[in-house]
Amino acid sequence: QVQLQESGPGLVKPSETLSLTCAVSDYSITRGYYWGWIRQPPGKGLEWIGNIYHSGSTYYNSSLKSRVTMSVDTSKNQFSLKLSSVTAADTAVYYCARRDGYSQFDKWGQGTLVIVSS
Amino acid sequence: QSALTQPRSVSGSPGQSVTISCTGSSSDVGGYNYVSWYQQYPGKAPKRMIYDVTKRPSGVPDRFSGSKSGNTASLTISGLQAEDEADYYCCSYAGSNTVVFGGGTKVTVL
């Protein structure tokens, strides 16, 4: 049963870079699928951030594209998210997930809350 | 990419049916048969309930069903139960390997 687990700092200062990692267990990310990041500001809806394939191909939300970088480390079976120049508006629970097919995310991490504050 | 439009809330009594709409455009919902629905309880990760407009993963009760007409997709919960009280989100493929979520709908069981 594939499992995903997010990790990273829970507090980031404004203007700095948010960095998160998603460790995947019981499934090799090189076997396929796209791997994605989705966030949810407190009390608000879900927002797709982007997807990455094991080959390193990336696809980002156009509204965040200028600040987002995703990468994959196949040796550690994990993928990562970097979001630069953060503001309070980037405060959210960040989820990593496996994308199966064109629009469905079938496996999710538990989510990690990142607060942007000085 | 604009968020898909969902009603903020819907409600129904136990045993009734409720339908949640998800309206987009020809660039997302209307252009592809790739709409999924997620159920989310407070403080928990979303759970996939429907994918590819109408398909239901194993383990999801058959009282959850999906459909689509034009630029609007719908999730229907038949025989509403107390445990169905949650937030529901739609998600559509939007071309070029991108997706877009709806704003979410709170389902209340009266």
Side-chain angles (χ1 to χ4, degrees):
Chain A
Q1 177 79 333
V2 58
Q3 293 186 321
L4 294 84
Q5 178 67 58
E6 307 89 349
S7 63
L11 181 63
V12 181
K13 290 182 169 55
S15 80
E16 295 190 343
T17 296
L18 176 160
S19 296
L20 296 174
T21 296
C22 181
V24 181
S25 57
D26 296 324
Y27 189 88
S28 171
I29 61 176
T30 61
R31 286 178 58 185
Y33 292 102
Y34 283 91
W35 303 89
W37 290 95
I38 298 108
R39 71 179 183 178
Q40 185 172 36
K44 297 188 178 181
L46 301 170
E47 179 181 34
W48 175 72
I49 299 172
N51 292 331
I52 188 166
Y53 197 58
H54 66 81
S55 62
S57 299
T58 53
Y59 306 87
Y60 301 139
N61 185 324
S62 58
S63 67
L64 298 170
K65 190 173 184 177
S66 63
R67 300 193 292 129
V68 172
T69 302
M70 294 178 63
S71 60
V72 63
D73 186 338
T74 55
S75 67
K76 294 182 178 179
N77 211 42
Q78 63 186 34
F79 58 102
S80 300
L81 168 72
K82 291 187 185 299
L83 182 65
S84 64
S85 305
V86 296
T87 68
D90 294 311
T91 293
V93 174
Y94 285 76
Y95 295 99
C96 60
R98 185 177 78 172
R99 200 186 96 185
D100 178 16
Y102 284 88
S103 79
Q104 55 160 326
F105 295 92
D106 65 335
K107 302 293 182 185
W108 295 68
Q110 64 184 25
T112 186
L113 174 63
V114 179
I115 297 173
V116 178
S117 174
S118 56
Chain B
Q1 291 165 301
S2 299
L4 306 176
T5 301
Q6 297 182 231
R8 291 290 297 271
S9 64
V10 298
S11 62
S13 299
Q16 289 186 331
S17 293
V18 295
T19 296
I20 303 168
S21 61
C22 170
T23 301
S25 69
S26 58
S27 297
D28 37 63
V29 176
Y32 309 94
N33 287 322
Y34 300 124
V35 175
S36 52
W37 290 90
Y38 301 86
Q39 176 190 65
Q40 186 182 36
Y41 293 115
K44 299 296 185 181
K47 173 188 175 183
R48 179 187 57 167
M49 304 300 284
I50 296 287
Y51 68 98
D52 293 352
V53 179
T54 61
K55 298 177 182 177
R56 196 171 48 249
S58 68
V60 173
D62 59 6
R63 52 204 181 74
F64 289 88
S65 62
S67 62
K68 192 187 86 166
S69 178
N71 295 337
T72 299
S74 300
L75 174 72
T76 298
I77 310 174
S78 305
L80 197 63
Q81 299 185 5
E83 67 206 51
D84 300 331
E85 185 162 298
D87 293 326
Y88 292 83
Y89 294 89
C90 61
C91 178
S92 175
Y93 184 67
S96 301
N97 233 316
T98 66
V99 300
V100 59
F101 282 95
T105 298
K106 181 176 179 58
V107 171
T108 301
V109 181
L110 301 172

